[in-house]
Amino acid sequence: MRLHRVQALGPNGLTEPRDVDLPVDHADVDATGLVLSPGWCDLHAHLREPGFPEKETLATGAAAAAAGGFTQVVAMANTQPVTDTADRLRANLARARDLPVRVMFVGALTEGLEGRRPTDAVALQAAGAVALSDDGRHALDLQTLVGALQHASATGLPVLIHPQDESLGSQPEAELAAVEQAVAALRQVPRARLHLQHVSLAAALPMIAKAKRDGLALTAEVTPHHLWLTEDALRRWGPLAKVNPPLRTEADVAALRGALIDGTIDIVATDHAPHQAAAKRDAETAAPGISGFETAAGMLLTLRLPWPVLYRACVALPRAILGIPLSPDWILIDPAETWAVEPDRFLSRGRNTPMTGTRLSGRVRITICHDRVVHHAEVPVG
Ligand SMILES: [Zn+2]
């Protein structure tokens, strides 16, 4: 496959247009105005298998990831059963073998995500875990977290923390307390590597910046929805805008955008959290989460983030955090295509998004993984 006049995305932004040959069996493409990027890597997704096929399966999740431009995806451990043993990790990897994109798995940090006994980090790593995380829960006290970090540091695996102290609910204090606790734990185990998931508050950013200045191995992520939406979305969308951590204020959104650009926040991760319609109906009992794979790239491109920031946040640093090399997978982006979000057309089983009808500019046109075209969007007429 030859791409004519394509601009390539790298650490310094976009190259001048040139012709590029890819080892893929596919017709040539006039890529004038299009951007060729290494496949994006999503450090944070819920693929719901095993246990919740009504929400997503590995197959539907991987198809949605491909449509969103993610060729590498890390699946969280809050499945049924929880991925907290080497056998379960190996079973997940066996199920994921023939998917269109590369799906990796975290092992739970504590047994059953209960925040009490650390899992066997060495065995999980040997089985193929790429990180450790209790994501979805945060029931650890400081002492337990320090112990879990010590186990993890023996393996070199990063620990991904869902910083939301369960005992404090979803108030801002819950996130600030958990970020403070995580940094305090890392100070006690400076050989560990700690990553803060879905940071949502401006007030958390100075703590993260200070820990980084102090030389701690701390990284942080933000989701596309926390870069876009405020608590106003709850009034309009009700349960569809219910997510953990909650959508915050305009000032938080502005601060998060600035922190992503200045590097206080290292990466963007989707926290793709698909649910069936019934789980999102009732305001009181609705499950938290947003189906994120298929809107992420459009949301980020619409923000017109500098290209080197997109490369760092979606290509380079997610892999650096995992300690894995860039895979030879590619996506072709049309930064000018405008489109409206239509969840009925998602490949994910989760159509739960508060972005319905929003016009985005920028879309993933083609995704190439394992030297195959695994996604090819129809080109709009006119
Ligand atoms: Zn989480």
Side-chain angles (χ1 to χ4, degrees):
M1 163 187 209
R2 168 163 279 213
L3 301 170
H4 296 284
R5 294 189 53 76
V6 74
Q7 290 183 279
L9 174 61
N12 301 316
L14 298 185
T15 62
E16 291 300 308
R18 55 188 163 92
D19 291 354
V20 171
D21 285 306
L22 296 178
V24 180
D25 189 17
H26 193 275
D28 291 0
V29 173
D30 175 2
T32 306
L34 304 187
V35 171
L36 179 69
S37 166
W40 289 8
C41 176
D42 189 358
L43 205 56
H44 186 170
H46 298 273
L47 299 186
R48 307 303 193 198
E49 184 177 341
F52 305 100
E54 69 281 16
K55 299 180 188 293
E56 194 79 292
T57 65
L58 289 174
T60 58
F70 298 101
T71 56
Q72 291 185 300
V73 168
V74 179
M76 294 298 117
N78 63 338
T79 45
Q80 184 58 253
V82 170
T83 313
D84 57 3
T85 68
D87 282 349
R88 288 173 181 172
L89 201 300
R90 272 190 288 266
N92 289 352
L93 278 172
R95 283 191 203 97
R97 204 172 289 142
D98 297 319
L99 297 172
V101 300
R102 303 169 200 267
V103 175
M104 300 166 279
F105 295 89
V106 305
L109 185 62
T110 65
E111 290 176 13
L113 313 176
E114 286 172 354
R116 289 200 286 269
R117 285 179 305 276
T119 51
D120 187 340
V122 172
L124 284 166
Q125 183 186 40
V130 293
L132 299 170
S133 181
D134 279 357
D135 181 57
R137 299 283 311 272
H138 187 74
L140 301 127
D141 61 26
L142 177 63
Q143 219 177 349
T144 311
L145 179 53
V146 167
L149 282 181
Q150 280 163 343
H151 285 278
S153 71
T155 66
L157 291 177
V159 173
L160 321 180
I161 295 283
H162 164 106
Q164 192 171 7
D165 183 328
E166 280 184 11
S167 64
L168 298 174
S170 63
Q171 295 309 301
E173 293 70 31
E175 179 168 327
L176 299 177
V179 169
E180 195 177 358
Q181 178 210 49
V183 172
L186 187 57
R187 283 186 199 282
Q188 293 189 42
V189 194
R191 288 168 299 122
R193 297 197 295 129
L194 197 143
H195 174 76
L196 295 171
Q197 300 174 296
H198 45 53
V199 173
S200 71
L201 290 166
L205 299 169
M207 286 193 269
I208 296 167
K210 167 141 194 344
K212 289 183 161 194
R213 279 199 306 275
D214 292 347
L216 296 179
L218 181 73
T219 52
E221 81 189 22
V222 65
T223 70
H225 46 270
H226 289 107
L227 290 171
W228 253 82
L229 299 167
T230 67
E231 54 206 353
D232 286 351
L234 269 170
R235 274 186 281 284
R236 172 150 184 225
W237 293 101
L240 287 174
K242 182 175 171 186
V243 64
N244 272 333
L247 300 172
R248 309 288 192 185
T249 68
E250 241 168 80
D252 291 310
V253 168
L256 291 169
R257 289 179 184 181
L260 178 61
I261 290 169
D262 75 24
T264 304
I265 301 251
D266 299 273
I267 69 163
V268 175
T270 64
D271 194 7
H272 176 71
H275 289 292
Q276 73 278 35
K280 278 295 200 180
R281 227 161 254 150
D282 180 69
E284 290 290 295
T285 60
I290 292 172
S291 184
F293 280 152
E294 290 165 85
T295 51
M299 290 168 77
L300 296 176
L301 291 162
T302 303
L303 291 178
R304 294 285 177 254
L305 296 166
W307 286 106
V309 171
L310 275 184
Y311 185 88
R312 159 166 62 77
C314 302
V315 175
L317 286 192
R319 291 170 172 111
I321 290 167
L322 297 174
I324 62 173
L326 203 56
S327 58
D329 305 318
W330 302 97
I331 60 175
L332 198 58
I333 296 167
D334 184 347
E337 184 186 332
T338 61
W339 58 289
V341 177
E342 294 175 77
D344 288 347
R345 302 178 72 164
F346 282 1
L347 299 179
S348 171
R349 282 193 183 163
R351 276 88 198 269
N352 49 302
T353 176
M355 296 297 291
T356 302
T358 305
R359 288 198 76 75
L360 299 176
S361 34
R363 193 171 200 178
V364 177
R365 183 75 70 74
I366 292 176
T367 302
I368 294 164
C369 190
H370 305 295
D371 292 338
R372 287 188 299 129
V373 174
V374 294
H375 163 72
H376 193 168
E378 74 274 36
V379 180
V381 182

